[in-house]
Coordinates of all heavy atoms in Angstrom, one line a residue:
M21 N 8.7 -11.4 36.7 CA 10.1 -11.6 37.1 C 11.0 -10.6 36.3 O 10.9 -10.6 35.0 CB 10.5 -13.0 36.8 CG 11.9 -13.3 37.0 SD 12.3 -15.0 36.6 CE 14.0 -14.9 36.3
I22 N 11.7 -9.8 36.9 CA 12.6 -8.9 36.3 C 14.0 -9.5 36.4 O 14.5 -9.7 37.5 CB 12.6 -7.5 37.0 CG1 11.2 -6.9 36.9 CG2 13.7 -6.6 36.3 CD1 11.1 -5.6 37.6
P23 N 14.7 -9.8 35.2 CA 16.0 -10.4 35.3 C 17.0 -9.5 35.8 O 17.0 -8.3 35.5 CB 16.3 -10.8 33.8 CG 15.4 -10.0 33.0 CD 14.2 -9.6 33.9
H24 N 17.9 -10.0 36.7 CA 19.0 -9.2 37.3 C 20.3 -9.5 36.7 O 21.3 -8.8 36.9 CB 19.0 -9.4 38.8 CG 17.8 -8.9 39.5 ND1 17.4 -7.6 39.6 CD2 16.7 -9.6 40.0 CE1 16.3 -7.5 40.2 NE2 15.8 -8.7 40.4
S25 N 20.4 -10.6 35.9 CA 21.7 -11.0 35.3 C 21.5 -11.5 33.9 O 20.4 -11.8 33.5 CB 22.4 -12.0 36.2 OG 21.7 -13.3 36.0
H26 N 22.6 -11.6 33.2 CA 22.5 -12.1 31.8 C 22.0 -13.6 31.8 O 21.2 -14.0 31.0 CB 23.8 -12.1 31.1 CG 23.8 -12.5 29.7 ND1 23.2 -11.9 28.7 CD2 24.3 -13.7 29.1 CE1 23.3 -12.5 27.6 NE2 24.0 -13.6 27.8
A27 N 22.4 -14.3 32.8 CA 21.9 -15.7 32.9 C 20.4 -15.8 33.2 O 19.7 -16.6 32.5 CB 22.7 -16.5 34.0
E28 N 19.9 -14.9 34.0 CA 18.5 -14.9 34.3 C 17.7 -14.5 33.0 O 16.6 -15.0 32.7 CB 18.1 -14.0 35.5 CG 18.5 -14.6 36.8 CD 18.3 -13.6 37.9 OE1 18.0 -12.4 37.7 OE2 18.3 -14.0 39.1
E29 N 18.2 -13.5 32.4 CA 17.6 -13.0 31.1 C 17.6 -14.1 30.1 O 16.6 -14.3 29.4 CB 18.4 -11.8 30.6 CG 17.7 -11.0 29.5 CD 18.4 -9.8 29.1 OE1 18.9 -9.0 30.0 OE2 18.6 -9.5 27.9
S30 N 18.7 -14.8 29.9 CA 18.8 -15.9 29.0 C 17.8 -17.0 29.3 O 17.1 -17.5 28.5 CB 20.2 -16.4 28.9 OG 20.3 -17.5 28.0
Q31 N 17.6 -17.3 30.6 CA 16.7 -18.3 31.1 C 15.3 -17.8 30.8 O 14.4 -18.6 30.3 CB 16.9 -18.6 32.6 CG 16.0 -19.7 33.1 CD 16.3 -19.9 34.6 OE1 17.1 -19.3 35.2 NE2 15.5 -20.8 35.2
L32 N 15.0 -16.6 31.0 CA 13.6 -16.1 30.8 C 13.3 -16.1 29.3 O 12.2 -16.4 28.9 CB 13.5 -14.6 31.3 CG 12.2 -13.9 31.1 CD1 11.1 -14.6 31.9 CD2 12.3 -12.5 31.5
A33 N 14.3 -15.8 28.5 CA 14.0 -15.8 27.0 C 13.7 -17.2 26.5 O 13.1 -17.3 25.4 CB 15.3 -15.2 26.3
R34 N 14.0 -18.2 27.2 CA 13.7 -19.6 26.7 C 12.3 -20.0 27.1 O 11.9 -21.1 26.7 CB 14.8 -20.5 27.2 CG 16.1 -20.4 26.5 CD 17.0 -21.6 26.9 NE 17.4 -21.6 28.3 CZ 18.5 -21.1 28.8 NH1 19.3 -20.5 28.1 NH2 18.7 -21.2 30.1
T35 N 11.6 -19.2 27.9 CA 10.3 -19.7 28.4 C 9.3 -19.5 27.2 O 9.4 -18.6 26.4 CB 9.8 -18.8 29.6 OG1 9.7 -17.5 29.2 CG2 10.8 -18.9 30.8
P36 N 8.3 -20.4 27.2 CA 7.3 -20.4 26.1 C 6.5 -19.0 26.2 O 6.2 -18.5 25.1 CB 6.4 -21.5 26.4 CG 7.2 -22.5 27.3 CD 8.1 -21.6 28.0
E37 N 6.3 -18.5 27.4 CA 5.6 -17.3 27.5 C 6.3 -16.1 26.8 O 5.8 -15.3 26.1 CB 5.3 -16.9 28.9 CG 4.3 -17.9 29.6 CD 5.0 -19.1 30.2 OE1 6.3 -19.2 30.0 OE2 4.3 -19.9 30.8
F38 N 7.6 -16.1 27.1 CA 8.5 -15.0 26.5 C 8.5 -15.1 25.0 O 8.4 -14.2 24.3 CB 9.9 -15.1 27.1 CG 10.8 -14.0 26.6 CD1 10.8 -12.7 27.2 CD2 11.6 -14.2 25.4 CE1 11.6 -11.7 26.7 CE2 12.4 -13.1 25.0 CZ 12.4 -11.9 25.6
Q39 N 8.7 -16.4 24.5 CA 8.8 -16.6 23.1 C 7.5 -16.2 22.4 O 7.4 -15.7 21.3 CB 9.2 -18.0 22.8 CG 10.6 -18.3 23.2 CD 11.0 -19.8 23.1 OE1 10.2 -20.6 22.8 NE2 12.3 -20.1 23.4
A40 N 6.3 -16.6 23.1 CA 5.0 -16.2 22.5 C 4.8 -14.7 22.5 O 4.4 -14.1 21.5 CB 3.9 -16.9 23.3
A41 N 5.3 -14.0 23.5 CA 5.2 -12.6 23.6 C 6.0 -11.9 22.5 O 5.6 -11.0 21.8 CB 5.6 -12.0 25.0
R42 N 7.2 -12.5 22.3 CA 8.1 -11.9 21.2 C 7.5 -12.2 19.8 O 7.5 -11.3 19.0 CB 9.4 -12.6 21.3 CG 10.4 -12.1 20.3 CD 10.9 -10.7 20.7 NE 11.8 -10.2 19.6 CZ 11.6 -9.1 19.0 NH1 10.7 -8.2 19.3 NH2 12.5 -8.7 18.1
A43 N 6.9 -13.3 19.6 CA 6.2 -13.6 18.3 C 5.0 -12.7 18.1 O 4.8 -12.2 17.0 CB 5.7 -15.1 18.3
I44 N 4.3 -12.4 19.1 CA 3.2 -11.4 19.0 C 3.7 -10.1 18.7 O 3.1 -9.4 17.8 CB 2.3 -11.4 20.3 CG1 1.6 -12.8 20.4 CG2 1.4 -10.3 20.3 CD1 0.9 -13.0 21.8
E45 N 4.8 -9.6 19.3 CA 5.4 -8.3 19.0 C 5.8 -8.2 17.6 O 5.6 -7.2 16.9 CB 6.5 -8.0 19.9 CG 6.2 -7.7 21.4 CD 7.4 -7.6 22.2 OE1 8.5 -7.8 21.8 OE2 7.2 -7.2 23.4
L46 N 6.4 -9.3 17.1 CA 6.9 -9.3 15.7 C 5.7 -9.3 14.7 O 5.7 -8.6 13.7 CB 7.8 -10.5 15.4 CG 9.2 -10.5 16.1 CD1 9.8 -11.9 15.9 CD2 10.0 -9.4 15.5
A47 N 4.7 -10.1 15.0 CA 3.5 -10.1 14.2 C 2.8 -8.7 14.2 O 2.4 -8.2 13.1 CB 2.5 -11.2 14.7
A48 N 2.7 -8.1 15.3 CA 2.1 -6.7 15.4 C 2.9 -5.7 14.6 O 2.3 -4.9 13.9 CB 2.0 -6.3 16.9
S49 N 4.2 -5.8 14.6 CA 5.1 -4.9 13.8 C 4.8 -5.2 12.3 O 4.7 -4.2 11.6 CB 6.5 -5.2 14.2 OG 7.4 -4.4 13.4
E50 N 4.8 -6.4 11.9 CA 4.5 -6.7 10.5 C 3.1 -6.3 10.1 O 3.0 -5.7 9.0 CB 4.7 -8.2 10.3 CG 6.1 -8.7 10.4 CD 6.2 -10.2 10.2 OE1 5.3 -10.8 9.5 OE2 7.2 -10.8 10.7
L51 N 2.1 -6.4 10.9 CA 0.8 -5.9 10.6 C 0.8 -4.4 10.4 O 0.1 -3.9 9.5 CB -0.2 -6.3 11.7 CG -0.7 -7.8 11.6 CD1 -1.5 -8.1 12.9 CD2 -1.4 -8.1 10.4
E52 N 1.5 -3.7 11.3 CA 1.6 -2.2 11.2 C 2.2 -1.8 9.9 O 1.8 -0.9 9.2 CB 2.3 -1.6 12.4 CG 2.4 -0.1 12.3 CD 1.1 0.6 12.4 OE1 0.1 0.0 12.7 OE2 1.1 1.8 12.1
T53 N 3.3 -2.6 9.5 CA 3.9 -2.3 8.2 C 3.0 -2.5 7.1 O 2.9 -1.7 6.1 CB 5.2 -3.2 8.0 OG1 6.1 -2.9 9.1 CG2 5.8 -3.0 6.7
L54 N 2.2 -3.6 7.1 CA 1.2 -3.9 6.0 C 0.1 -2.9 6.0 O -0.3 -2.5 4.9 CB 0.7 -5.3 6.2 CG 1.6 -6.5 6.0 CD1 1.0 -7.8 6.4 CD2 2.0 -6.5 4.5
R55 N -0.3 -2.4 7.2 CA -1.3 -1.4 7.3 C -0.9 -0.1 6.6 O -1.6 0.5 5.8 CB -1.7 -1.1 8.7 CG -2.9 -0.1 8.9 CD -3.1 0.2 10.4 NE -2.1 1.1 10.9 CZ -2.1 2.4 10.7 NH1 -3.1 3.0 10.1 NH2 -1.2 3.2 11.3
L56 N 0.4 0.3 6.9 CA 0.9 1.5 6.3 C 1.1 1.4 4.8 O 0.8 2.3 4.0 CB 2.2 1.9 6.9 CG 2.1 2.3 8.4 CD1 3.5 2.5 9.0 CD2 1.3 3.6 8.5
Q57 N 1.5 0.2 4.3 CA 1.6 -0.1 2.9 C 0.2 0.0 2.2 O 0.1 0.5 1.1 CB 2.3 -1.4 2.6 CG 3.7 -1.4 2.9 CD 4.3 -2.8 2.8 OE1 3.6 -3.8 2.7 NE2 5.7 -2.9 2.8
A58 N -0.8 -0.6 2.9 CA -2.2 -0.6 2.3 C -2.7 0.9 2.2 O -3.3 1.2 1.2 CB -3.1 -1.4 3.2
L59 N -2.4 1.7 3.2 CA -2.8 3.1 3.2 C -2.1 3.8 2.0 O -2.8 4.6 1.3 CB -2.5 3.8 4.5 CG -3.4 3.5 5.7 CD1 -2.8 4.1 6.9 CD2 -4.8 3.9 5.4
D60 N -0.9 3.6 1.8 CA -0.1 4.2 0.7 C -0.7 3.7 -0.6 O -0.9 4.5 -1.6 CB 1.4 3.8 0.8 CG 2.2 4.5 -0.2 OD1 2.1 5.8 -0.3 OD2 3.0 3.8 -0.9
L61 N -1.0 2.4 -0.8 CA -1.5 1.9 -2.0 C -2.9 2.5 -2.3 O -3.3 2.9 -3.4 CB -1.6 0.4 -1.9 CG -2.2 -0.3 -3.2 CD1 -1.4 0.0 -4.4 CD2 -2.3 -1.8 -2.9
A62 N -3.7 2.6 -1.2 CA -5.1 3.2 -1.4 C -4.9 4.7 -1.9 O -5.7 5.1 -2.7 CB -5.8 3.2 0.0
E63 N -4.0 5.4 -1.3 CA -3.8 6.8 -1.8 C -3.4 6.8 -3.2 O -3.8 7.7 -4.0 CB -2.8 7.5 -0.9 CG -2.5 8.9 -1.3 CD -3.8 9.8 -1.2 OE1 -4.6 9.6 -0.4 OE2 -3.9 10.8 -2.0
T64 N -2.5 5.9 -3.6 CA -2.0 5.9 -5.0 C -3.1 5.6 -5.9 O -3.3 6.2 -7.0 CB -0.9 4.8 -5.1 OG1 0.2 5.2 -4.3 CG2 -0.4 4.7 -6.6
L65 N -3.9 4.6 -5.6 CA -5.1 4.2 -6.4 C -6.1 5.3 -6.5 O -6.6 5.6 -7.6 CB -5.8 2.9 -5.9 CG -5.0 1.6 -6.0 CD1 -5.7 0.5 -5.3 CD2 -4.8 1.3 -7.5
S66 N -6.3 6.0 -5.4 CA -7.3 7.1 -5.4 C -6.8 8.2 -6.4 O -7.5 8.8 -7.1 CB -7.4 7.7 -4.0 OG -8.3 8.8 -4.0
T67 N -5.5 8.5 -6.3 CA -4.9 9.5 -7.2 C -5.1 9.1 -8.7 O -5.5 9.9 -9.5 CB -3.4 9.7 -6.9 OG1 -3.3 10.1 -5.6 CG2 -2.7 10.7 -7.8
H68 N -4.8 7.8 -9.0 CA -5.0 7.3 -10.4 C -6.4 7.4 -10.8 O -6.7 7.8 -12.0 CB -4.4 5.9 -10.5 CG -2.9 5.8 -10.5 ND1 -2.2 6.4 -11.5 CD2 -2.1 5.2 -9.7 CE1 -0.9 6.2 -11.3 NE2 -0.8 5.5 -10.2
I69 N -7.3 7.0 -9.9 CA -8.8 7.1 -10.3 C -9.2 8.5 -10.6 O -9.9 8.8 -11.6 CB -9.6 6.4 -9.2 CG1 -9.4 4.9 -9.2 CG2 -11.1 6.8 -9.3 CD1 -9.9 4.2 -7.9
R70 N -8.8 9.5 -9.7 CA -9.1 10.9 -10.0 C -8.6 11.3 -11.4 O -9.2 12.0 -12.1 CB -8.6 11.8 -8.9 CG -9.4 11.7 -7.6 CD -9.0 12.9 -6.7 NE -7.7 12.8 -6.3 CZ -7.2 12.1 -5.2 NH1 -8.0 11.4 -4.5 NH2 -5.9 12.2 -4.9
S71 N -7.3 10.9 -11.7 CA -6.7 11.2 -13.0 C -7.5 10.7 -14.1 O -7.7 11.3 -15.1 CB -5.3 10.7 -13.0 OG -4.7 10.9 -14.2
L72 N -7.9 9.4 -14.0 CA -8.7 8.8 -15.1 C -10.0 9.4 -15.2 O -10.5 9.6 -16.4 CB -8.8 7.3 -14.8 CG -7.6 6.4 -14.9 CD1 -7.8 5.0 -14.4 CD2 -7.1 6.4 -16.4
K73 N -10.7 9.8 -14.1 CA -12.0 10.4 -14.2 C -11.8 11.8 -14.9 O -12.7 12.2 -15.8 CB -12.6 10.6 -12.8 CG -13.2 9.4 -12.3 CD -13.8 9.6 -10.9 CE -14.4 8.4 -10.3 NZ -15.0 8.7 -9.0
A74 N -10.8 12.5 -14.6 CA -10.5 13.8 -15.2 C -10.3 13.6 -16.7 O -10.8 14.4 -17.5 CB -9.4 14.5 -14.6
R75 N -9.5 12.7 -17.1 CA -9.2 12.4 -18.5 C -10.5 12.0 -19.2 O -10.7 12.4 -20.3 CB -8.2 11.3 -18.6 CG -7.5 11.2 -19.9 CD -6.5 10.2 -20.0 NE -5.5 10.3 -18.9 CZ -4.6 9.4 -18.7 NH1 -4.5 8.3 -19.3 NH2 -3.7 9.6 -17.7
S76 N -11.3 11.2 -18.5 CA -12.6 10.8 -19.2 C -13.5 12.0 -19.4 O -14.1 12.1 -20.5 CB -13.3 9.8 -18.2 OG -14.6 9.4 -18.7
R77 N -13.5 12.9 -18.4 CA -14.4 14.1 -18.6 C -13.8 15.0 -19.8 O -14.6 15.5 -20.6 CB -14.3 15.0 -17.3 CG -15.4 14.6 -16.3 CD -15.5 15.6 -15.2 NE -14.2 15.8 -14.5 CZ -13.8 15.1 -13.5 NH1 -14.5 14.1 -13.0 NH2 -12.6 15.4 -12.9
D78 N -12.5 15.1 -19.9 CA -11.9 15.8 -21.0 C -12.2 15.2 -22.3 O -12.6 15.9 -23.2 CB -10.3 15.9 -20.8 CG -9.9 16.7 -19.7 OD1 -10.7 17.5 -19.1 OD2 -8.7 16.6 -19.3
M79 N -12.2 13.9 -22.4 CA -12.5 13.2 -23.7 C -14.0 13.4 -24.0 O -14.4 13.6 -25.1 CB -12.2 11.7 -23.6 CG -10.7 11.4 -23.4 SD -9.8 11.8 -24.8 CE -10.1 10.5 -25.9
R80 N -14.9 13.3 -23.0 CA -16.3 13.5 -23.2 C -16.7 14.9 -23.6 O -17.6 15.1 -24.4 CB -17.0 13.1 -21.9 CG -18.5 13.0 -22.0 CD -19.2 12.7 -20.7 NE -18.9 13.7 -19.7 CZ -18.5 13.5 -18.5 NH1 -18.3 12.3 -18.1 NH2 -18.3 14.5 -17.7
D81 N -16.0 15.9 -23.1 CA -16.3 17.3 -23.4 C -15.7 17.8 -24.7 O -16.1 18.9 -25.2 CB -15.8 18.2 -22.2 CG -16.5 17.9 -20.9 OD1 -17.6 17.3 -21.0 OD2 -15.9 18.3 -19.9
R82 N -14.8 17.0 -25.3 CA -14.3 17.5 -26.6 C -15.4 17.3 -27.7 O -16.2 16.4 -27.7 CB -13.1 16.6 -27.0 CG -11.9 16.9 -26.2 CD -10.7 16.1 -26.7 NE -9.6 16.3 -25.9 CZ -8.5 15.5 -25.8 NH1 -8.5 14.5 -26.6 NH2 -7.5 15.8 -25.0
P83 N -15.4 18.2 -28.7 CA -16.3 18.1 -29.8 C -16.0 16.8 -30.6 O -14.9 16.4 -30.7 CB -16.1 19.3 -30.6 CG -14.9 19.9 -30.2 CD -14.5 19.4 -28.8
F84 N -17.1 16.2 -31.1 CA -16.9 14.9 -31.8 C -16.3 15.3 -33.2 O -16.7 16.2 -33.9 CB -18.2 14.3 -32.0 CG -18.1 12.9 -32.7 CD1 -17.6 11.9 -32.1 CD2 -18.6 12.8 -34.0 CE1 -17.5 10.6 -32.7 CE2 -18.5 11.6 -34.7 CZ -17.9 10.5 -34.0
R85 N -15.2 14.6 -33.6 CA -14.5 14.9 -34.8 C -15.1 14.0 -36.0 O -15.2 12.8 -35.9 CB -13.1 14.5 -34.6 CG -12.2 15.0 -35.8 CD -10.8 14.8 -35.4 NE -10.0 14.9 -36.6 CZ -8.7 15.0 -36.7 NH1 -8.0 15.0 -35.6 NH2 -8.1 15.2 -37.8
T86 N -15.6 14.7 -37.0 CA -16.2 14.0 -38.1 C -15.3 13.7 -39.3 O -15.6 12.9 -40.2 CB -17.5 14.7 -38.6 OG1 -17.1 16.0 -39.0 CG2 -18.5 14.8 -37.5
E87 N -14.2 14.4 -39.3 CA -13.2 14.2 -40.4 C -12.6 12.8 -40.3 O -12.4 12.3 -39.2 CB -12.1 15.2 -40.3 CG -12.5 16.6 -40.6 CD -11.2 17.5 -40.4 OE1 -10.1 17.0 -40.5 OE2 -11.4 18.7 -40.3
E88 N -12.2 12.3 -41.4 CA -11.4 11.0 -41.4 C -10.0 11.4 -41.1 O -9.5 12.4 -41.5 CB -11.5 10.4 -42.8 CG -12.8 9.9 -43.2 CD -12.8 9.3 -44.6 OE1 -11.7 9.3 -45.3 OE2 -13.8 8.8 -45.1
P89 N -9.3 10.5 -40.4 CA -7.9 10.7 -40.1 C -7.1 10.7 -41.4 O -7.5 10.1 -42.4 CB -7.5 9.5 -39.2 CG -8.8 9.0 -38.7 CD -9.9 9.3 -39.7
A90 N -6.0 11.4 -41.4 CA -5.2 11.6 -42.7 C -4.8 10.2 -43.2 O -4.7 10.0 -44.4 CB -4.0 12.4 -42.4
S91 N -4.6 9.2 -42.4 CA -4.2 7.9 -42.9 C -5.3 7.2 -43.6 O -5.0 6.3 -44.4 CB -3.7 7.1 -41.7 OG -4.8 6.9 -40.8
E92 N -6.5 7.6 -43.4 CA -7.7 6.9 -44.1 C -8.2 7.6 -45.3 O -9.2 7.2 -45.9 CB -8.8 6.6 -43.1 CG -8.4 5.7 -41.9 CD -9.5 5.5 -40.9 OE1 -10.6 5.9 -41.2 OE2 -9.2 4.9 -39.9
R93 N -7.7 8.8 -45.6 CA -8.3 9.6 -46.7 C -8.0 9.1 -48.1 O -8.7 9.5 -49.0 CB -7.7 11.1 -46.5 CG -8.4 11.8 -45.4 CD -8.0 13.3 -45.5 NE -8.3 13.9 -44.2 CZ -7.7 14.8 -43.6 NH1 -6.6 15.4 -44.3 NH2 -8.0 15.3 -42.4
R94 N -7.0 8.4 -48.3 CA -6.6 8.0 -49.6 C -7.5 7.1 -50.3 O -8.3 6.6 -50.5 CB -5.2 7.3 -49.6 CG -4.1 8.2 -49.1 CD -2.9 7.5 -49.1 NE -1.8 8.4 -48.6 CZ -0.6 8.1 -48.4 NH1 -0.2 6.9 -48.8 NH2 0.3 8.9 -47.9

């Protein structure tokens, strides 16, 4: 049914089928928003993990320091 007037449109909007379809559209939109947020979070976490791995390699590759720190020499 294609509404031809505001009254018909208003009547159609009150039907359970229309309300269910609208609820599904809203849920789909919310899911898409969550999907995009999850992708963004995954990228952020991936970036942090790469940074931590690089930092770990840097620490591992440094020569071991055998001197006591200045605060412990006294």
Side-chain angles (χ1 to χ4, degrees):
M21 175 181 161
I22 299 174
H24 296 288
S25 70
H26 183 69
E28 288 177 345
E29 189 175 316
S30 179
Q31 183 180 356
L32 179 63
R34 288 192 296 266
T35 64
E37 294 85 359
F38 182 88
Q39 291 173 357
R42 183 70 183 129
I44 290 169
E45 287 175 356
L46 289 171
S49 176
E50 289 179 25
L51 283 173
E52 179 63 11
T53 298
L54 290 172
R55 184 185 75 81
L56 293 172
Q57 288 174 345
L59 287 172
D60 187 48
L61 180 58
E63 180 61 33
T64 299
L65 289 172
S66 178
T67 299
H68 284 298
I69 289 169
R70 282 193 301 272
S71 174
L72 289 171
K73 284 181 178 180
R75 197 177 307 168
S76 176
R77 276 191 301 275
D78 290 347
M79 295 293 281
R80 188 181 60 229
D81 294 342
R82 287 184 184 163
F84 185 71
R85 188 172 168 170
T86 56
E87 293 179 18
E88 293 178 358
S91 62
E92 296 178 9
R93 283 190 200 148
R94 294 180 186 183

